[in-house]
Amino acid sequence: MENISVYTVEKSEIKILHTGDTHLGSRQYHSDIRRRDFFDSFEKVIQDAVENEMDAVIHTGDLFDNRNPTIEDLIDTIAILTPLKKAGIPFLGIVGNHEGKQNTQWLDIFQTMGLAKRLGNTPVVVENLHSQIRFYGIDNLSGPRLAAFDFSIFEADPKCGGEGKMIYNILTLHQLLDPVLPGQPLSCDDFTCSIPIQFNAVLLGDNHKYECIKHNGAWLTYPGSTERCSAAEVEPRAYNILTFDGTEISITRRTIPTRDFVTIPIASDESGEIKIDEIYSKIDSYSEKINGAVVFVELSGIKKTLIPISEIEEYVKNKGAVVARVGDKRDLEKDDSDKIKQITFRDPDEVVTQELKRLNLTEAGLLLDSIIRDSDTSKTNVADVSEDSLREYLNGHEFKEEFRRDSIYLYDPDFESNGFESTGFELDDFESNESDISDLNLIEDEYGIDNEIDNEIDSADTINVAEVIEQIRHAQEGETEAETEMIDSSQDSVVSAKHEYELKNKAKSETQSETFNEAKIETKGETEIETKIETKKEKAKEKPHSPPRQYTLGDMFGSEDEE
């Protein structure tokens, strides 16, 4: 019996306590007192198990109200389970829909601490001299997970021994199942008929009301929740006790004392009038029941007057109620029973589905929709299930394709189609070589050839960079020759102007001083012109005569490599 846990009992009878749906950590009605109530009820169950020397406690799911209990919730739970461990009573459980996590479950953590044992396809055995009980378990399964579940992991003969003993096979589930709950989409047969084991009983969780029937020779039972999770749960809370004596299984119940829920009905008269004094008077008549209870005041009849809801709730709390709620169920007008009202409703799922098609959601969006509308996912777990599912979805997709913004690339499709390779030239590279581009701009500005080159490039079928550079060089040489001719011409003009001035100066030596001053200014201006021309000529002579540079594509496109 390797890897099979076996608990031996010395008594002639084996007694198993069956509970579930404890929903620890629930702050019902946002009340810390109600949170404590849920722990107190569970603690009473465990105390009963120890005091009555139960041989095992079976918990069929929803130990916690949500998948992320607080540290305080965990500490309180450990404190409750510890006496069970000290008494040597195994706590065997499965995972419900409220507490279910993606991978490691809270039961797994408690198992490492020796406080619990998580049931699965390998049986956990409790036996005595006459009987052997094999417990199996399946965590809560929603529709998709149920379809993918592999029932073949269960073995028909687990080799647990038990020769000569009465063998009991017990399956634990956390599902709402037909025929125990008639009309449910899933049946208990969907599970038991898929497993090659003949079960004597199926211990169930998820339904908060006690149910017990016999189906195809096996007991099917829900123990109900240990605390009231809504005002509709009016039955006393309880748990089951299963007794195994080597013959038939017997199932009995034991109630749990819990906080009272009190409902105070108040109806209006035929005219629809409800006086506030009459409401307070009716509440006063329940004074003995209100103290320490969860109280609901339900208004019914015809709605013709406004009722101060908050004032009534405060009045009930002052009477000693732990929680006070007022429900206004009055109709706006009198119901005419003689008239037949025909009301039709569209299928909500169909309406939502049509709207989703119109929105054209992505796969991730559709995944979120399926989680939100999944009835098997509790409201308290929607956010966590969505987060885990999206993370799994993203991990299953590889986003390797690189997307480049066209606006940061200088790319000409005609450039490649004419036999030139793309340079991969980026705007950042362009800006990092401003000195090269400034040199090119100076050549264009100084010699006025930018328009000429642009026109040449626009009209050419094929861009020849060498030809463009050659044009720049020829233009530069042409401008140098033109500059030399201009200097020679300017020098001749100055000599001629000087000779003419000397003649005029002699002819007008007797002229007025004003005329002489004007001539003096003119001479000064001509002297400045002559000086500028001489300076420019000297610079032209000093200019080295080197062979023209051979330009490359790197010079044109800002390469960092220097020749």
Side-chain angles (χ1 to χ4, degrees):
M1 293 188 292
E2 187 178 357
N3 298 326
I4 296 179
S5 299
V6 179
Y7 299 90
T8 303
V9 177
E10 301 297 334
K11 299 177 294 184
S12 59
E13 291 183 340
I14 298 176
K15 291 186 176 182
I16 304 296
L17 190 152
H18 172 209
T19 187
D21 294 285
T22 47
H23 290 276
L24 302 179
S26 171
R27 293 183 69 254
Q28 190 181 41
Y29 310 119
H30 307 286
S31 170
D32 289 332
I33 295 178
R34 286 300 292 155
R35 175 196 170 275
R36 188 65 250 171
D37 287 346
F38 280 83
F39 278 96
D40 290 343
S41 296
F42 180 52
E43 188 173 17
K44 290 185 180 73
V45 174
I46 299 303
Q47 286 176 351
D48 284 354
V50 174
E51 292 172 2
N52 292 281
E53 298 181 348
M54 295 292 170
D55 299 305
V57 175
I58 308 297
H59 193 289
T60 50
D62 282 354
L63 175 65
F64 293 107
D65 189 57
N66 62 72
R67 60 165 53 188
N68 292 318
T70 65
I71 297 297
E72 185 181 11
D73 294 339
L74 294 173
I75 292 173
D76 289 346
T77 303
I78 292 171
I80 292 173
L81 292 177
T82 298
L84 205 62
K85 176 184 178 181
K86 292 180 178 179
I89 301 173
F91 183 82
L92 314 178
I94 57 175
V95 179
N97 60 310
H98 274 253
E99 67 207 340
K101 299 179 75 66
Q102 192 70 19
N103 296 305
T104 304
Q105 307 295 332
W106 293 111
L107 274 178
D108 298 327
I109 297 176
F110 292 153
Q111 181 167 307
T112 60
M113 300 172 65
L115 295 173
K117 188 79 174 178
R118 182 181 175 187
L119 295 173
N121 61 297
T122 301
V124 174
V125 175
V126 179
E127 63 180 4
N128 61 8
L129 293 175
H130 311 289
S131 307
Q132 184 184 80
I133 310 171
R134 303 171 181 176
F135 291 98
Y136 301 85
I138 300 177
D139 298 334
N140 174 260
L141 296 176
S142 60
R145 286 188 293 168
L146 176 60
F149 188 77
D150 183 12
F151 287 95
S152 65
I153 59 177
F154 289 87
E155 298 180 5
D157 184 10
K159 298 179 181 180
C160 299
E163 291 79 5
K165 299 180 180 181
M166 180 67 179
I167 306 299
Y168 301 92
N169 291 309
I170 310 297
L171 178 63
T172 58
L173 300 171
H174 188 87
Q175 308 281 162
L176 301 177
L177 300 176
D178 182 273
V180 193
L181 303 174
Q184 291 296 323
L186 290 178
S187 171
C188 191
D189 294 337
D190 295 332
F191 293 86
T192 57
C193 294
S194 301
I195 301 173
I197 299 173
Q198 183 65 41
F199 292 104
N200 302 92
V202 179
L203 308 184
L204 298 163
D206 201 17
N207 184 51
H208 293 182
K209 181 182 177 182
Y210 168 76
E211 301 286 352
C212 187
I213 66 170
K214 204 163 189 177
H215 175 69
N216 292 337
W219 287 105
L220 313 179
T221 180
Y222 289 97
S225 60
T226 56
E227 249 295 349
R228 290 182 175 86
C229 295
S230 72
E233 299 174 8
V234 296
E235 300 85 1
R237 303 296 94 186
Y239 56 84
N240 289 343
I241 299 175
L242 286 77
T243 304
F244 302 83
D245 59 2
T247 58
E248 285 290 324
I249 302 173
S250 66
I251 301 177
T252 57
R253 301 188 71 229
R254 184 168 295 175
T255 59
I256 307 169
T258 57
R259 189 177 300 277
D260 291 334
F261 275 45
V262 177
T263 301
I264 303 176
I266 301 176
S268 64
D269 56 23
E270 295 183 356
S271 64
E273 294 291 335
I274 298 182
K275 295 181 180 180
I276 189 66
D277 292 340
E278 294 177 354
I279 294 177
Y280 290 155
S281 177
K282 186 66 177 287
I283 292 172
D284 291 341
S285 66
Y286 283 79
S287 295
E288 294 182 0
K289 297 181 179 180
I290 288 176
N291 188 35
V294 177
V295 180
F296 299 91
V297 178
E298 292 187 355
L299 305 178
S300 60
I302 302 174
K303 190 172 186 177
K304 288 189 176 181
T305 56
L306 295 177
I307 302 297
I309 302 297
S310 59
E311 292 183 11
I312 296 176
E313 291 179 346
E314 190 66 25
Y315 185 82
V316 174
K317 287 182 180 179
N318 291 334
K319 290 286 184 180
V322 171
V323 176
R325 290 288 185 273
V326 176
D328 193 347
K329 300 181 178 180
R330 294 177 295 165
D331 297 326
L332 292 176
E333 57 184 25
K334 187 176 181 180
D335 183 21
D336 192 347
S337 58
D338 296 335
K339 294 182 180 180
I340 300 176
K341 298 180 180 179
Q342 294 182 350
I343 302 175
T344 58
F345 297 94
R346 293 182 63 187
D347 184 1
D349 285 334
E350 180 183 348
V351 175
V352 173
T353 301
Q354 290 178 355
E355 286 297 312
L356 290 176
K357 289 180 179 179
R358 185 179 63 83
L359 293 175
N360 293 322
L361 295 180
T362 62
E363 291 183 15
L366 294 174
L367 175 62
L368 287 176
D369 168 68
S370 65
I371 295 171
I372 294 171
R373 291 200 283 160
D374 185 1
S375 59
D376 291 325
T377 302
S378 63
K379 293 180 180 180
T380 56
N381 286 340
V382 166
D384 295 322
V385 172
S386 300
E387 181 179 348
D388 291 340
S389 299
L390 280 178
R391 184 180 294 108
E392 182 178 353
Y393 170 82
L394 293 174
N395 291 336
H397 288 70
E398 296 184 1
F399 301 96
K400 291 184 177 180
E401 183 179 359
E402 296 182 357
F403 297 94
R404 305 191 306 177
R405 295 178 295 170
D406 294 338
S407 59
I408 67 170
Y409 289 88
L410 299 178
Y411 170 72
D412 185 0
D414 294 332
F415 189 73
E416 288 189 0
S417 64
N418 289 325
F420 289 87
E421 296 182 357
S422 175
T423 62
F425 178 55
E426 298 188 13
L427 186 58
D428 292 339
D429 297 331
F430 189 91
E431 293 174 349
S432 65
N433 293 278
E434 294 179 354
S435 60
D436 295 335
I437 297 168
S438 298
D439 292 342
L440 187 58
N441 292 336
L442 287 174
I443 293 173
E444 294 179 350
D445 293 339
E446 184 174 357
Y447 299 105
I449 60 171
D450 52 340
N451 293 331
E452 180 182 351
I453 296 175
D454 291 340
N455 294 334
E456 186 70 21
I457 292 174
D458 293 340
S459 61
D461 294 333
T462 303
I463 299 175
N464 190 321
V465 177
E467 291 181 3
V468 174
I469 300 303
E470 189 66 21
Q471 290 179 24
I472 295 174
R473 185 176 64 80
H474 285 306
Q476 182 179 3
E477 292 176 352
E479 287 294 329
T480 303
E481 294 175 358
E483 182 181 5
T484 303
E485 293 177 2
M486 181 186 70
I487 294 172
D488 294 339
S489 177
S490 299
Q491 187 178 14
D492 294 340
S493 298
V494 170
V495 173
S496 178
K498 187 176 181 179
H499 180 68
E500 183 179 353
Y501 170 73
E502 289 175 351
L503 293 176
K504 290 182 179 181
N505 191 38
K506 289 180 180 181
K508 298 181 179 181
S509 58
E510 301 298 333
T511 57
Q512 297 178 355
S513 60
E514 183 178 354
T515 303
F516 174 80
N517 292 337
E518 289 177 359
K520 187 177 181 180
I521 293 173
E522 184 178 354
T523 302
K524 184 180 179 181
E526 290 175 353
T527 303
E528 290 177 355
I529 293 175
E530 183 179 359
T531 302
K532 290 182 179 179
I533 292 173
E534 288 294 332
T535 302
K536 196 168 186 180
K537 187 174 182 181
E538 289 297 328
K539 288 183 178 180
K541 289 180 180 180
E542 293 174 1
K543 194 170 187 180
H545 295 283
S546 58
R549 179 182 175 184
Q550 182 64 43
Y551 287 88
T552 65
L553 285 174
D555 297 318
M556 292 295 293
F557 295 101
S559 173
E560 295 179 357
D561 298 332
E562 297 288 344
E563 290 194 26

